[in-house]
Every structure is written in structure tokens, then in C-alpha cells.
Amino acid sequence: MMRYNLLLKSVLERALKYYSRKAIYSRTFGGEKEYTYRDFYHRVCRLAWVLKELGVKRGARVGTFAWNNHRHLELYFAVPCFGAVLHTINIRLFPEQIAYIINHAEDEVLFIDEDLVPLIEAVADKLATVRHYVIMADGALPPTNLKPVHSYEDLLSSASSETYEFPGDLDEYTPAAMCYTTATTGNPKGVVYTHRALVLHSMAACMVDTLAVCEQDVIMPVVPMFHVNAWGLPFAATMVGATQVLPGPRPDPHLICRLIQERKVTLAAGVPTIWLGCLPLYESGQYSGQSLRAVVVGGSAASRSLIEAYDRLGIPILHAYGMTETTPLVLASRLKSYMQEWDGERKYAARARQGLLVPGLEMRVVNERGEDVQWNGREMGELWLRGPWIAGEYYRDPERTAEAFAGGWLRTGDIVTVDEEGYVAIVDRTKDLVKSGGEWISSVDLENTIMAHPAVQEAAVIGVPHPKWQERPVACVVLKPEFRGRVGKEEILAFLSGKVAKWWLPDEVIFLEEIPKTSVGKFSKRVLRERYAHLFSG
Ligand code: AMP
């Protein structure tokens, strides 16, 4: 066979060649816009000229601080195809973390959405490497003290040409993008994605047995483009010329449901909280989600009750699992052909698992003695991964690399079981397991069972230090508005009894208005653990 480098340039050029008339829809701070892949391609070329003008060299890091919109998509291709590295910065991090990751990545240019400028202004005096700030606005630039500052649209208009000869001599292992993931302790950790990883990951997302991304799709990533490349969907969608819908700033449930209905979205993707938020709008008939062939739910467990509720609406949930270190797609929960004959109960149990390993990857599930566990759906172990789109290290962080990547495998920190069919179920994060009397209690199982109660909107279970048992589970529960004040601890415990082992029953049920969330919309159990650390010790 030929030696052939897998580069994002081929993804971009294919989109122009075959899908120039297909549409990309984008919502920005200033309005809504639709253009074609042809327009997109030419703006990407102009952007490459702009990078050159700004003195960006191959291998340099270019930061983005932006929502899901067309300009962010242009950067997704222009920066890596030019030979530089796209660093997508999580806009929801704390200011110190934002400054840390920009300095650690040594970003030279920052592209910032107009409404997010104040967040960068707040840390600008701490940024050591940034040479240019480019503001992405629909009209005139907002007033700012960032220096030197440019307008994205002005730079594009003045670019030398609307075509660009992207380098074809890049090695496929050239870094294309990077993203930082927050760690339980210490600073965020950087993960670098190569061209090869992003192309192969896009192909994997297009497989019929995974997400089945295809030309006919209208794809809306609700998952932010600053979080693991919006799960790789913008790359995969461009590869096959799917219509893209980029929902823009602060997507709330009404906006998400409206865009799905108006734009006839076929595939949407986001964390469970998003879909829990949209559920009442669908149930009340305010919006129709009939165009959806699937909603990809990942980042946290899709509970069985969520999957069932969407089934009742005729919207299939496709449960998937991954992490920043894995680009992210690792597991997808599609039933095998003969499983379609199973009864509803067994099918739901399988779909609530995180699913089968995506082709191209290898996994081990290793118990505390270092042995591979039995595939019996009971024995627990840590999930280890390797493959062409699994990171091999943390960026410039030998210490934490040594911990997580020992022996050539990524040790995910996720405790799982594997059933006889090979379906993996995430039992917990290593650090979220509740250790009571030396035995493990799965906080995820407890949460999912509690969330099946009709009055419960959200539930997070944490382990709280206990003088006798080492730790005991405590359930933090948010009730649906109409049930607030009408459901108590006893009712939740009665609902759980018989469904989980007696010693798993939470010692406390705390009712909250809201569960604190992390920067990417997951339950922040760290905050809850800190808040209730002394519950049993007075
Ligand atoms: P992040 O790197 O922020 O995307 O977080 C990755 C972590 O999210 C994984 O290690 C899991 O603990 C968790 N996660 C991702 N997808 C799922 C899922 N479908 N079910 C349960 N946990 C998940």
C-alpha cells in the first residue's frame, strides 16, 4: 500500500468538491446566518492568509474562546490545515484556570467571540505569550482594552485571496488541536489531537454501528466546541457534507427545541442535563422532535428513565461514552440484531449501559489484583484503553502522564463491568465510588434508580466520611417544580428499597434547588462532597 498521511486538509477539500451547495447554519451573538460549504471553504482559505499575516508559524498554538458558531468552525479547519494547533479554551473555567491553560499552551493568537471579551480582559495582564487578539463580531467591535486587537471580519475581508494552498507535506502525527480537561486536583491537563487521530475518529463516528453520521444528516452539536471538539462532530459532519446547525451562545432548552424543529435536525448531541431540560417542552407538546433519528447522550450516564421518557416521545437516545483523552468516542450503545427480539426490560438494561467498544480501539478491564475481569456483568475493574485516537500523554506534564499512561494504556479512572455480550457499563469514577465498610457502592446506580422516581428531576449521590463505615452514601435530589415540598426522604428511601441492596440505601436525602455543575455541565460532586463533608461528624 501507499504511505499516505491522513490530514484534515483532505476532509476540508472533500467538502468543497462534493458538497459545496450544502448548508451550514449558525447562530451568533448578533443574529442567525446560513451559508454554503463553498462560502465556508473560501472563508477558511482567507483565514489561513490571516494567520500567515499575523506571523503564525507551523506548530504554533492558536486559541479560541467561542461558542458553537460558523467562525469557530472556520477556525477548526483553518488553523490545523495551515499547520498550526487549534487550542479550544473552555469559557466556563475559573479565570485563574483560563490564564493557566493559555500560558501553558503558549497561545500566540486568541480568537474571541464578542460577548466573551470581558472574560479575557479580566485575565489579559496574566497572559505571557499572546501577541494578537482577534474579536469575532457581527458588526462594530465592542470597546475593549485588549491590545493589539483586530476584527475577524475586517481581517478576512482584507485577506490576499479566497484560495489557499494548504500544506500537503505535514506528517499525519502533526498536532492539529488541543483541549484541557479539569483534574480533581491541580491544574487542568492538556490533551493534543493529531491530524491522524481526528480523521480516523471522524471515520469511526460515521460507522453505521456507532453514530452513523452521514450526508443526509442535519447535525446539531449542543455539546460545546470548546469541549473535546464538540465530540468530533464538526469534523465528521464536514467529512461527509452533512448539514450543520451551530446553536450559538447560551443554548437553553427552548432554543435547542426550536432549532431542532425549525432546522429539522436529525442528530443532536449533548450531556444528559440538556436533554432533561428539554424533556418537559417535548412532553407538553410545545415542540416537536420528530425529525430526530437520534440524540447522542454522553459525558455522564444516560439514565434508563431518560431513555424511556424519550422513547415515549418517539425520539431514540443513543448512549455513548468517551473522555477528553479519547477524542472522545469510545463506546456506543446500539443493540445487536438478535437483541432486538429481547423483551423491553432487557433491551432497556442494555441501552442504559455505555455500550460496545468502537472498532479500531482496544480495551482491558483490570481489577485491583491487576487481572482482566470476567465478562459477567458483575466483576468490576478499571477501564484501560489504547488505539489511534487515544492520547498517549498529557501535554508537557511528565508526572501526571506517568500516572495515567503507564504501560502504554490510558487508565481511564472509570470503574466498569462488562456483560456477556461485551457491553460495558460505567459503575463509577474511581473517586466517586462510595466505600462503605470496605465494600463499593455505585453512586451512578443509586442516581439512576432515584431518577426513575416520577417526582425527581435530578439526583447526585456522594460518599460522605462516616465514623463507623468509612463513607456512607448521601443523595442530593432536585424535585420537579410541581413536587417541591411534597416528597420527603422516606418516600425516596421507600422507592429505593427492593431495587438496591439494603446497605446501599442513602443515610441522608438532601433536597436542593439545583445540583452544582462543572464547567461542562456535569454534576460537580466535588462541590457537594466539600459542602457535606462533616454531615456525620457533627
Ligand atoms: P471529560 O473528559 O470531561 O469528557 O469527562 C470524561 C468522563 O466523563 C469519563 O471518564 C466518565 O467518567 C464520564 N463519562 C463520559 N461519558 C459517560 C457516560 N456515557 N456515562 C457515564 N459517565 C460518562
mmCIF file of all heavy atoms in Angstrom, residues 59-61 100-107 129 178 180 187-192 393-401:
data_model
loop_
_atom_site.group_PDB
_atom_site.id
_atom_site.type_symbol
_atom_site.label_atom_id
_atom_site.label_comp_id
_atom_site.label_asym_id
_atom_site.label_seq_id
_atom_site.Cartn_x
_atom_site.Cartn_y
_atom_site.Cartn_z
ATOM 1 N N GLY A 59 3.022 24.707 13.884
ATOM 2 C CA GLY A 59 3.222 24.196 15.239
ATOM 3 C C GLY A 59 2.812 25.172 16.326
ATOM 4 O O GLY A 59 2.673 24.794 17.489
ATOM 5 N N ALA A 60 2.600 26.466 15.956
ATOM 6 C CA ALA A 60 2.219 27.456 16.986
ATOM 7 C C ALA A 60 0.781 27.186 17.442
ATOM 8 O O ALA A 60 -0.027 26.655 16.691
ATOM 9 C CB ALA A 60 2.327 28.855 16.410
ATOM 10 N N ARG A 61 0.499 27.560 18.676
ATOM 11 C CA ARG A 61 -0.858 27.359 19.201
ATOM 12 C C ARG A 61 -1.707 28.615 19.023
ATOM 13 O O ARG A 61 -1.251 29.737 19.320
ATOM 14 C CB ARG A 61 -0.832 26.967 20.688
ATOM 15 C CG ARG A 61 -0.790 25.472 20.912
ATOM 16 C CD ARG A 61 0.556 24.868 20.669
ATOM 17 N NE ARG A 61 1.559 25.391 21.581
ATOM 18 C CZ ARG A 61 2.856 25.423 21.341
ATOM 19 N NH1 ARG A 61 3.341 24.934 20.209
ATOM 20 N NH2 ARG A 61 3.691 25.923 22.220
ATOM 21 N N TYR A 100 -4.039 30.041 33.189
ATOM 22 C CA TYR A 100 -3.071 28.943 33.261
ATOM 23 C C TYR A 100 -2.978 28.202 31.931
ATOM 24 O O TYR A 100 -1.889 27.974 31.412
ATOM 25 C CB TYR A 100 -3.428 27.958 34.394
ATOM 26 C CG TYR A 100 -2.602 26.701 34.315
ATOM 27 C CD1 TYR A 100 -1.309 26.657 34.845
ATOM 28 C CD2 TYR A 100 -3.079 25.566 33.651
ATOM 29 C CE1 TYR A 100 -0.524 25.518 34.719
ATOM 30 C CE2 TYR A 100 -2.299 24.426 33.522
ATOM 31 C CZ TYR A 100 -1.031 24.396 34.058
ATOM 32 O OH TYR A 100 -0.250 23.270 33.910
ATOM 33 N N ILE A 101 -4.132 27.836 31.358
ATOM 34 C CA ILE A 101 -4.047 26.983 30.155
ATOM 35 C C ILE A 101 -3.546 27.779 28.937
ATOM 36 O O ILE A 101 -2.835 27.232 28.113
ATOM 37 C CB ILE A 101 -5.345 26.190 29.856
ATOM 38 C CG1 ILE A 101 -6.503 27.080 29.448
ATOM 39 C CG2 ILE A 101 -5.752 25.315 31.021
ATOM 40 C CD1 ILE A 101 -7.713 26.280 28.987
ATOM 41 N N ILE A 102 -3.898 29.060 28.864
ATOM 42 C CA ILE A 102 -3.388 29.864 27.735
ATOM 43 C C ILE A 102 -1.864 29.980 27.843
ATOM 44 O O ILE A 102 -1.143 29.823 26.858
ATOM 45 C CB ILE A 102 -4.061 31.258 27.709
ATOM 46 C CG1 ILE A 102 -5.551 31.104 27.391
ATOM 47 C CG2 ILE A 102 -3.376 32.175 26.687
ATOM 48 C CD1 ILE A 102 -6.362 32.388 27.478
ATOM 49 N N ASN A 103 -1.369 30.188 29.049
ATOM 50 C CA ASN A 103 0.081 30.290 29.253
ATOM 51 C C ASN A 103 0.767 28.946 29.047
ATOM 52 O O ASN A 103 1.843 28.859 28.460
ATOM 53 C CB ASN A 103 0.393 30.823 30.655
ATOM 54 C CG ASN A 103 0.099 32.311 30.757
ATOM 55 O OD1 ASN A 103 0.172 33.029 29.757
ATOM 56 N ND2 ASN A 103 -0.254 32.771 31.945
ATOM 57 N N HIS A 104 0.125 27.892 29.534
ATOM 58 C CA HIS A 104 0.740 26.567 29.429
ATOM 59 C C HIS A 104 0.810 26.116 27.966
ATOM 60 O O HIS A 104 1.805 25.549 27.520
ATOM 61 C CB HIS A 104 -0.062 25.561 30.273
ATOM 62 C CG HIS A 104 0.607 24.226 30.416
ATOM 63 N ND1 HIS A 104 0.231 23.133 29.670
ATOM 64 C CD2 HIS A 104 1.642 23.816 31.183
ATOM 65 C CE1 HIS A 104 0.994 22.093 29.992
ATOM 66 N NE2 HIS A 104 1.864 22.483 30.914
ATOM 67 N N ALA A 105 -0.245 26.423 27.207
ATOM 68 C CA ALA A 105 -0.246 26.062 25.777
ATOM 69 C C ALA A 105 0.601 27.045 24.969
ATOM 70 O O ALA A 105 0.951 26.778 23.830
ATOM 71 C CB ALA A 105 -1.670 26.046 25.239
ATOM 72 N N GLU A 106 0.913 28.184 25.568
ATOM 73 C CA GLU A 106 1.657 29.264 24.893
ATOM 74 C C GLU A 106 0.926 29.741 23.641
ATOM 75 O O GLU A 106 1.508 29.847 22.547
ATOM 76 C CB GLU A 106 3.092 28.821 24.567
ATOM 77 C CG GLU A 106 3.870 28.459 25.826
ATOM 78 C CD GLU A 106 5.284 27.956 25.541
ATOM 79 O OE1 GLU A 106 5.508 27.373 24.464
ATOM 80 O OE2 GLU A 106 6.161 28.139 26.385
ATOM 81 N N ASP A 107 -0.351 30.019 23.797
ATOM 82 C CA ASP A 107 -1.160 30.519 22.676
ATOM 83 C C ASP A 107 -0.594 31.857 22.200
ATOM 84 O O ASP A 107 -0.303 32.739 23.015
ATOM 85 C CB ASP A 107 -2.616 30.730 23.113
ATOM 86 C CG ASP A 107 -3.302 29.406 23.416
ATOM 87 O OD1 ASP A 107 -2.852 28.368 22.907
ATOM 88 O OD2 ASP A 107 -4.297 29.425 24.171
ATOM 89 N N THR A 129 2.047 35.020 26.517
ATOM 90 C CA THR A 129 2.503 34.664 25.159
ATOM 91 C C THR A 129 1.633 35.228 24.045
ATOM 92 O O THR A 129 2.011 35.136 22.878
ATOM 93 C CB THR A 129 2.520 33.119 25.016
ATOM 94 O OG1 THR A 129 1.205 32.632 25.326
ATOM 95 C CG2 THR A 129 3.542 32.482 25.925
ATOM 96 N N MET A 178 -5.893 20.914 20.425
ATOM 97 C CA MET A 178 -5.690 20.524 21.824
ATOM 98 C C MET A 178 -6.802 21.057 22.719
ATOM 99 O O MET A 178 -7.470 22.036 22.393
ATOM 100 C CB MET A 178 -4.320 20.949 22.336
ATOM 101 C CG MET A 178 -4.114 22.420 22.478
ATOM 102 S SD MET A 178 -2.380 22.814 22.846
ATOM 103 C CE MET A 178 -2.108 21.965 24.392
ATOM 104 N N TYR A 180 -7.930 21.167 27.113
ATOM 105 C CA TYR A 180 -7.553 20.854 28.502
ATOM 106 C C TYR A 180 -8.750 20.271 29.237
ATOM 107 O O TYR A 180 -9.891 20.668 29.009
ATOM 108 C CB TYR A 180 -7.050 22.113 29.219
ATOM 109 C CG TYR A 180 -5.630 22.469 28.850
ATOM 110 C CD1 TYR A 180 -5.355 23.039 27.604
ATOM 111 C CD2 TYR A 180 -4.568 22.217 29.707
ATOM 112 C CE1 TYR A 180 -4.049 23.357 27.242
ATOM 113 C CE2 TYR A 180 -3.258 22.543 29.357
ATOM 114 C CZ TYR A 180 -3.004 23.108 28.126
ATOM 115 O OH TYR A 180 -1.713 23.419 27.766
ATOM 116 N N ASN A 187 -3.752 21.654 38.343
ATOM 117 C CA ASN A 187 -4.173 22.410 37.164
ATOM 118 C C ASN A 187 -4.802 21.505 36.111
ATOM 119 O O ASN A 187 -4.587 20.294 36.128
ATOM 120 C CB ASN A 187 -2.944 23.102 36.569
ATOM 121 C CG ASN A 187 -2.528 24.292 37.419
ATOM 122 O OD1 ASN A 187 -3.373 25.073 37.836
ATOM 123 N ND2 ASN A 187 -1.239 24.402 37.680
ATOM 124 N N PRO A 188 -5.550 22.108 35.160
ATOM 125 C CA PRO A 188 -6.086 21.307 34.050
ATOM 126 C C PRO A 188 -4.958 20.633 33.267
ATOM 127 O O PRO A 188 -3.818 21.120 33.257
ATOM 128 C CB PRO A 188 -6.804 22.347 33.184
ATOM 129 C CG PRO A 188 -7.082 23.498 34.081
ATOM 130 C CD PRO A 188 -5.985 23.523 35.093
ATOM 131 N N LYS A 189 -5.308 19.501 32.630
ATOM 132 C CA LYS A 189 -4.307 18.721 31.889
ATOM 133 C C LYS A 189 -4.568 18.855 30.396
ATOM 134 O O LYS A 189 -5.710 18.750 29.954
ATOM 135 C CB LYS A 189 -4.413 17.239 32.282
ATOM 136 C CG LYS A 189 -4.236 16.997 33.773
ATOM 137 C CD LYS A 189 -4.462 15.538 34.159
ATOM 138 C CE LYS A 189 -5.935 15.174 34.226
ATOM 139 N NZ LYS A 189 -6.176 13.836 34.803
ATOM 140 N N GLY A 190 -3.504 19.043 29.606
ATOM 141 C CA GLY A 190 -3.667 19.254 28.169
ATOM 142 C C GLY A 190 -3.609 17.953 27.388
ATOM 143 O O GLY A 190 -2.792 17.085 27.660
ATOM 144 N N VAL A 191 -4.505 17.827 26.415
ATOM 145 C CA VAL A 191 -4.513 16.663 25.530
ATOM 146 C C VAL A 191 -4.367 17.176 24.095
ATOM 147 O O VAL A 191 -5.083 18.095 23.695
ATOM 148 C CB VAL A 191 -5.837 15.873 25.677
ATOM 149 C CG1 VAL A 191 -5.901 14.740 24.671
ATOM 150 C CG2 VAL A 191 -5.990 15.339 27.097
ATOM 151 N N VAL A 192 -3.427 16.586 23.359
ATOM 152 C CA VAL A 192 -3.176 17.025 21.985
ATOM 153 C C VAL A 192 -3.737 15.983 21.011
ATOM 154 O O VAL A 192 -3.528 14.789 21.187
ATOM 155 C CB VAL A 192 -1.649 17.190 21.758
ATOM 156 C CG1 VAL A 192 -1.351 17.461 20.285
ATOM 157 C CG2 VAL A 192 -1.107 18.307 22.636
ATOM 158 N N GLU A 393 -0.268 10.896 26.149
ATOM 159 C CA GLU A 393 0.367 11.672 27.239
ATOM 160 C C GLU A 393 -0.448 12.927 27.526
ATOM 161 O O GLU A 393 -1.325 13.298 26.743
ATOM 162 C CB GLU A 393 1.780 12.103 26.820
ATOM 163 C CG GLU A 393 1.767 12.980 25.576
ATOM 164 C CD GLU A 393 3.146 13.498 25.180
ATOM 165 O OE1 GLU A 393 4.149 13.078 25.774
ATOM 166 O OE2 GLU A 393 3.188 14.335 24.273
ATOM 167 N N TYR A 394 -0.138 13.564 28.656
ATOM 168 C CA TYR A 394 -0.631 14.911 28.915
ATOM 169 C C TYR A 394 0.446 15.884 28.470
ATOM 170 O O TYR A 394 1.642 15.635 28.681
ATOM 171 C CB TYR A 394 -0.955 15.108 30.399
ATOM 172 C CG TYR A 394 -2.178 14.321 30.828
ATOM 173 C CD1 TYR A 394 -2.100 13.339 31.818
ATOM 174 C CD2 TYR A 394 -3.408 14.533 30.215
ATOM 175 C CE1 TYR A 394 -3.210 12.602 32.187
ATOM 176 C CE2 TYR A 394 -4.530 13.810 30.573
ATOM 177 C CZ TYR A 394 -4.431 12.839 31.559
ATOM 178 O OH TYR A 394 -5.521 12.121 31.905
ATOM 179 N N TYR A 395 0.000 16.985 27.869
ATOM 180 C CA TYR A 395 0.917 17.945 27.270
ATOM 181 C C TYR A 395 1.853 18.540 28.332
ATOM 182 O O TYR A 395 1.378 19.124 29.308
ATOM 183 C CB TYR A 395 0.083 19.039 26.591
ATOM 184 C CG TYR A 395 0.875 20.060 25.829
ATOM 185 C CD1 TYR A 395 1.632 19.689 24.718
ATOM 186 C CD2 TYR A 395 0.853 21.388 26.205
ATOM 187 C CE1 TYR A 395 2.350 20.631 24.007
ATOM 188 C CE2 TYR A 395 1.562 22.341 25.484
ATOM 189 C CZ TYR A 395 2.319 21.955 24.399
ATOM 190 O OH TYR A 395 3.024 22.882 23.697
ATOM 191 N N ARG A 396 3.143 18.353 28.109
ATOM 192 C CA ARG A 396 4.171 18.908 28.999
ATOM 193 C C ARG A 396 3.859 18.672 30.475
ATOM 194 O O ARG A 396 3.827 19.611 31.272
ATOM 195 C CB ARG A 396 4.342 20.404 28.740
ATOM 196 C CG ARG A 396 4.874 20.661 27.347
ATOM 197 C CD ARG A 396 5.183 22.110 27.135
ATOM 198 N NE ARG A 396 5.691 22.307 25.785
ATOM 199 C CZ ARG A 396 5.777 23.497 25.197
ATOM 200 N NH1 ARG A 396 5.398 24.571 25.838
ATOM 201 N NH2 ARG A 396 6.243 23.598 23.983
ATOM 202 N N ASP A 397 3.585 17.421 30.815
ATOM 203 C CA ASP A 397 3.204 17.079 32.183
ATOM 204 C C ASP A 397 3.654 15.641 32.485
ATOM 205 O O ASP A 397 2.845 14.724 32.594
ATOM 206 C CB ASP A 397 1.669 17.202 32.307
ATOM 207 C CG ASP A 397 1.207 17.216 33.746
ATOM 208 O OD1 ASP A 397 1.969 16.770 34.630
ATOM 209 O OD2 ASP A 397 0.071 17.667 33.989
ATOM 210 N N PRO A 398 4.991 15.440 32.586
ATOM 211 C CA PRO A 398 5.503 14.069 32.716
ATOM 212 C C PRO A 398 4.967 13.341 33.940
ATOM 213 O O PRO A 398 4.714 12.136 33.882
ATOM 214 C CB PRO A 398 7.025 14.266 32.817
ATOM 215 C CG PRO A 398 7.275 15.723 32.909
ATOM 216 C CD PRO A 398 6.035 16.453 32.523
ATOM 217 N N GLU A 399 4.753 14.079 35.019
ATOM 218 C CA GLU A 399 4.325 13.413 36.248
ATOM 219 C C GLU A 399 2.951 12.759 36.101
ATOM 220 O O GLU A 399 2.765 11.566 36.371
ATOM 221 C CB GLU A 399 4.266 14.448 37.354
ATOM 222 C CG GLU A 399 4.709 13.922 38.697
ATOM 223 C CD GLU A 399 4.947 15.103 39.619
ATOM 224 O OE1 GLU A 399 6.033 15.733 39.527
ATOM 225 O OE2 GLU A 399 4.025 15.398 40.378
ATOM 226 N N ARG A 400 1.993 13.573 35.626
ATOM 227 C CA ARG A 400 0.642 13.016 35.505
ATOM 228 C C ARG A 400 0.526 12.083 34.297
ATOM 229 O O ARG A 400 -0.313 11.200 34.285
ATOM 230 C CB ARG A 400 -0.391 14.147 35.493
ATOM 231 C CG ARG A 400 -0.458 14.777 36.896
ATOM 232 C CD ARG A 400 -1.581 15.731 37.055
ATOM 233 N NE ARG A 400 -1.405 16.937 36.271
ATOM 234 C CZ ARG A 400 -2.255 17.965 36.312
ATOM 235 N NH1 ARG A 400 -3.322 17.890 37.089
ATOM 236 N NH2 ARG A 400 -2.050 19.029 35.584
ATOM 237 N N THR A 401 1.427 12.257 33.307
ATOM 238 C CA THR A 401 1.471 11.293 32.201
ATOM 239 C C THR A 401 1.864 9.924 32.754
ATOM 240 O O THR A 401 1.248 8.908 32.425
ATOM 241 C CB THR A 401 2.500 11.752 31.130
ATOM 242 O OG1 THR A 401 2.001 12.943 30.530
ATOM 243 C CG2 THR A 401 2.711 10.695 30.068
#
